[in-house]
């Protein structure tokens, strides 16, 4: 009997990578990709657990799941930092690079 690939195994891996790479985008984009990758990975692992002998590609799913977890953590931290900066400096200050440079020079 020929083994079939787990559904979305490659997609989970790609979304896990994207969630890490996009953590500098205010934490929103990467968080979305990370959560989607985690949901898909949990479904794929559940499917694999039911019939492990007919599926291959579980290593991609596990790797993608780990990357997604790391990506979610990084994106939550980036989002928390952005919210902190927004509340500490204000939206107007973050939009004005010259004013932001002055504030940063004060703290150095």
């Amino acid at each position: 009997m020929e083994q079939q690939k787990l559904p979305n195994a490659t997609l989970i891996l790609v979304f896990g990578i994207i969630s890490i790479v996009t953590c500098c985008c205010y934490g929103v984009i990467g968080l979305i990709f990370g959560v989607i990758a985690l949901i898909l990975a949990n479904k794929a692992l559940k499917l694999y657990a039911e019939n492990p002998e007919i599926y291959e590609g579980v290593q991609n799913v596990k790797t993608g799941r780990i990357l997604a977890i790391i990506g979610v953590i990084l994106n939550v931290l980036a989002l928390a930092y952005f919210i902190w900066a927004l509340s500490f400096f204000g939206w107007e200050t973050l939009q004005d690079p010259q004013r932001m440079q002055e504030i940063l020079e004060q703290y150095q």
Side-chain angles (χ1 to χ4, degrees):
M1 180 177 188
E2 187 177 324
Q3 290 185 321
Q4 16 179 330
K5 282 195 166 230
L6 270 170
N8 302 319
T10 305
L11 184 67
I12 293 165
L13 187 60
V14 170
F15 277 13
I17 293 169
I18 290 173
S19 73
I20 292 176
V21 172
T22 57
C23 72
C24 57
C25 299
Y26 303 109
V28 178
I29 296 171
L31 190 61
I32 293 169
F33 278 106
V35 169
I36 291 171
L38 284 175
I39 292 169
L40 291 175
N42 288 337
K43 286 181 183 179
L45 289 174
K46 195 178 290 185
L47 189 64
Y48 179 77
E50 291 172 2
N51 292 315
E53 64 279 347
I54 64 171
Y55 292 110
E56 64 180 11
V58 71
Q59 195 58 45
N60 280 353
V61 173
K62 288 180 179 180
T63 304
R65 185 171 179 257
I66 291 169
L67 292 174
I69 290 169
I70 294 169
V72 166
I73 291 169
L74 289 174
N75 282 288
V76 166
L77 290 174
L79 185 61
Y81 176 75
F82 177 69
I83 291 170
W84 171 82
L86 192 63
S87 67
F88 189 77
F89 297 114
W91 183 253
E92 291 80 24
T93 305
L94 291 176
Q95 294 297 319
D96 184 6
Q98 190 173 14
R99 175 76 177 128
M100 194 64 190
Q101 184 66 32
E102 292 170 6
I103 290 173
L104 292 174
E105 286 173 0
Q106 288 175 354
Y107 287 103
Q108 290 181 355

